[in-house]
Amino acid sequence: MTISQDNALEQALERAAGEPAYRPAFFKLLLTATVYVPGEAGDDWIAGAARDDGAARDDGASPVTLQHWEKQDGGSAIPFFTSVAALESAVAGPQPFVALPVRTLFAMTAGAELFLNPKLPYGKSFAPDEVAALLSNDGDALTERQVLEGEMRMTLSEPAEMPQQMVASLTALFAQYKQVRRAYLLQVRDDAEQEPHWLIGLECDSAAEEAIQATGQVATDTAPDEQPVDICLVEEGEAGISHYFIHHLTPFYERRWGSWLRSVKDGAPS
């Protein structure tokens, strides 16, 4: 990993910590990264240590011993770092480490808790189920997601008060996904539920699955009181819930074609 890539991952982590809209992009970048883990490797590896040159790199077969650091709650987690510089900032002296692709690290530590950039201003813990979801769903950190399609008997209502953080973060997210044309928000309750939950309707031009995946991550992170969130696809000309969204609600997000076209024009070759 080059220095510029290290910086990109650290910048993505900082953005994700401050704004949920950037978390899907962070997870995707993380899964392509190489990270630095305190520990030691077998004799057939290149030795590495913080404040020294070089690091061991995993080939998927050689044995490694990774450190566990104690957390404030008394438990332990395997630490890993976005860069050698980040690792150096978290330790008091020379520290042996190995460099591992994130997918390799996650696979070889299945069932353990991990922590990215502990003791630093921006970090993130990874529970075992979250790690498993990231690996199996190719960057989707949600362990459970429901997408509503087809006919369902539901009671729909406009929220008395919009969830401001969720709306703001989703608006920032959709600016990154040009395939999202409009987004709507309702509260919904089916016959089996006592309390309503949120329903997000997405109208997309293409690549809906990618937008749904990112929407689920951000909405789950920002829903008030950890309320459940469902997602449905909205299509012009469809009956049922699509018709209700399009003809009875004002979208909380609508793609601004003017700004998108200007950005294309600005970047076009002369």
Side-chain angles (χ1 to χ4, degrees):
M1 174 180 282
T2 66
I3 292 176
S4 62
Q5 288 176 311
D6 284 344
N7 289 338
L9 184 58
E10 288 166 1
Q11 291 166 7
L13 173 61
E14 182 176 349
R15 288 195 297 268
E19 171 52 66
Y22 298 114
R23 292 173 187 172
F26 163 72
F27 286 126
K28 289 185 179 299
L29 182 60
L30 178 67
L31 285 181
T32 67
T34 294
V35 291
Y36 304 87
V37 192
E40 296 181 349
D43 293 338
D44 54 341
W45 285 38
I46 304 171
R51 308 184 194 282
D52 292 340
D53 292 332
R57 295 188 175 275
D58 178 41
D59 60 8
S62 303
V64 292
T65 301
L66 304 180
Q67 291 187 5
H68 289 70
W69 287 8
E70 185 176 353
K71 301 189 300 177
Q72 291 183 344
D73 63 5
S76 68
I78 297 172
F80 65 110
F81 294 87
T82 51
S83 66
V84 175
L87 172 57
E88 290 177 344
S89 298
V91 298
Q95 169 63 63
F97 67 89
V98 294
L100 296 170
V102 166
R103 289 182 180 273
T104 300
L105 173 65
F106 283 178
M108 67 190 294
T109 58
E113 182 174 351
L114 296 94
F115 203 109
L116 177 62
N117 283 8
K119 303 183 180 180
L120 299 181
Y122 299 98
K124 179 170 185 346
S125 63
F126 290 84
D129 60 346
E130 185 177 19
V131 170
L134 282 168
L135 286 176
S136 62
N137 299 330
D138 195 27
D140 188 349
L142 290 181
T143 56
E144 184 176 344
R145 184 181 76 230
Q146 182 177 6
V147 179
L148 300 182
E149 297 181 294
E151 296 185 3
M152 295 186 66
R153 182 179 294 276
M154 299 176 292
T155 300
L156 308 177
S157 61
E158 294 188 57
E161 184 176 348
M162 294 290 278
Q164 296 300 321
Q165 178 62 64
M166 184 163 68
V167 167
S169 293
L170 287 173
T171 298
L173 173 74
F174 296 147
Q176 306 169 50
Y177 287 81
K178 301 305 180 184
Q179 66 265 41
V180 179
R181 297 180 61 193
R182 299 181 186 90
Y184 304 83
L185 185 64
L186 276 176
Q187 287 188 302
V188 58
R189 181 172 54 228
D190 62 33
D191 293 340
E193 292 179 321
Q194 298 298 318
E195 298 295 330
H197 60 271
W198 298 104
L199 176 62
I200 299 170
L202 293 182
E203 186 177 354
C204 299
D205 289 331
S206 61
E209 177 58 30
E210 183 181 1
I212 288 171
Q213 184 181 99
T215 300
Q217 291 182 38
V218 174
T220 300
D221 279 348
T222 56
D225 302 320
E226 300 183 347
Q227 293 173 331
V229 179
D230 289 325
I231 302 167
C232 71
L233 295 176
V234 175
E235 296 186 18
E236 184 72 49
E238 292 289 325
I241 195 167
S242 286
H243 182 275
Y244 185 89
F245 272 124
I246 292 173
H247 295 284
H248 295 278
L249 291 180
T250 299
F252 71 86
Y253 171 83
E254 187 163 9
R255 183 176 59 201
R256 296 176 58 188
W257 275 107
S259 60
W260 173 230
L261 291 174
R262 281 196 298 274
S263 67
V264 171
K265 181 179 179 181
D266 293 342
S270 58

